């Protein structure tokens, strides 16, 4: 898990803090793929194992295995993927970002570097569920814009469920509106 914690962005700092990694953290990785907003994951490969962390809705379809509570790698079933997807959707609908943590064999690193995670044997190891605070001044500003007749638009890199929940919490989206989320990325692979 710590091999992906070298970028220094706010999310990585929160995860490093939770894991009680020393500050500043020295990344032991010898090969890395930095987080990219198009790819939506980062990865690192030490001599022994590869680690991947990124948007759960992007990576979950590519996970071929999962670790049970005893650390045993189990083939990913449709039922297990559905259970994890339900957790992902519930957390995202509550305006949380959901980050998937996984591992993979070292020889699969080139697949991830070439943006072909479907070719890697990714093993799901956990989810990070993070929720950013909505600043009161943001809610106030949205209200003032609406009162002035200004249409407020939100542009975000979050997944569509999280974005809709944040838009509702900030007042950008009325709680009475229905949102239809045409997912560009299949959730089940």
């Amino acid at each position: 898990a710590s091999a992906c914690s070298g970028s220094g962005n706010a999310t990585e700092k929160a995860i490093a803090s939770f894991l009680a990694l020393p500050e500043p953290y020295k990344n032991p990785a010898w090969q890395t793929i930095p987080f990219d907003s198009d790819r939506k994951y980062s990865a690192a490969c030490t001599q022994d194992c590869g680690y991947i962390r990124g948007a759960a809705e992007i990576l979950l379809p590519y996970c071929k295995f999962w670790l049970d509570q005893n650390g045993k790698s189990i083939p990913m079933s449709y039922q297990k993927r559905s259970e994890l997807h339900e957790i992902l959707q519930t957390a995202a609908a509550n305006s949380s970002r959901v980050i998937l943590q996984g591992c993979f064999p070292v020889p699969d690193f080139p697949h991830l570097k070439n943006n072909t995670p479907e070719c890697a044997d990714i093993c799901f190891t956990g989810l990070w569920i993070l929720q950013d605070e909505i600043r009161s001044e943001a809610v106030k500003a949205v209200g003032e814009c609406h009162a002035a007749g200004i249409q407020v638009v939100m542009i975000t890199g979050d997944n569509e469920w999280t974005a809709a929940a944040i838009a509702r919490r900030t007042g950008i989206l009325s709680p009475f509106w229905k949102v239809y989320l045409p997912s560009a990325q299949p959730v089940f692979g």
Side-chain angles (χ1 to χ4, degrees):
S2 60
C4 292
S5 294
S7 73
N9 71 30
T11 301
E12 295 296 341
K13 286 179 183 176
I15 292 171
S17 173
F18 180 81
L19 294 172
L21 297 174
E23 193 66 41
Y25 182 69
K26 295 188 190 233
N27 192 327
W30 54 272
Q31 292 185 69
T32 61
I33 301 169
F35 181 84
D36 175 277
S37 60
D38 290 330
R39 182 178 39 245
K40 295 199 181 253
Y41 65 81
S42 64
C45 203
T46 66
Q47 293 178 346
D48 303 319
C49 189
Y51 302 93
I52 189 165
R53 185 181 299 147
E57 70 276 8
I58 301 296
L59 294 177
L60 183 58
Y62 302 125
C63 290
K64 296 178 183 166
F65 305 94
W66 63 281
L67 286 185
D68 70 7
Q69 63 268 19
N70 298 317
K72 183 180 175 191
S73 180
I74 312 255
M76 182 69 76
S77 65
Y78 180 84
Q79 179 181 349
K80 185 64 173 179
R81 192 180 315 277
S82 296
E83 290 171 13
L84 293 169
H85 181 255
E86 185 67 31
I87 293 168
L88 158 67
Q89 270 195 302
T90 300
N94 288 312
S95 69
S96 296
R97 283 184 291 135
V98 185
I99 299 170
L100 185 140
Q101 181 79 44
C103 59
F104 58 89
V106 172
D108 286 350
F109 186 77
H111 297 303
L112 297 169
K113 199 164 186 115
N114 294 327
N115 295 325
T116 55
E118 66 274 10
C119 298
D121 285 336
I122 299 172
C123 181
F124 169 87
T125 59
L127 293 173
W128 295 95
I129 299 176
L130 306 165
Q131 188 171 63
D132 296 323
E133 289 184 43
I134 303 291
R135 297 191 325 231
S136 60
E137 58 268 24
V139 175
K140 181 181 175 193
V142 168
E144 290 172 355
C145 287
H146 283 304
I150 300 170
Q151 180 182 5
V152 180
V153 177
M154 181 173 81
I155 299 172
T156 179
D158 287 324
N159 77 46
E160 48 208 18
W161 304 300
T162 303
I166 291 170
R168 279 197 175 95
R169 286 181 60 205
T170 56
I172 295 170
L173 185 61
S174 166
F176 304 109
W177 289 10
K178 282 198 170 197
V179 178
Y180 296 93
L181 304 172
S183 185
Q185 178 72 26
V187 177
F188 297 101

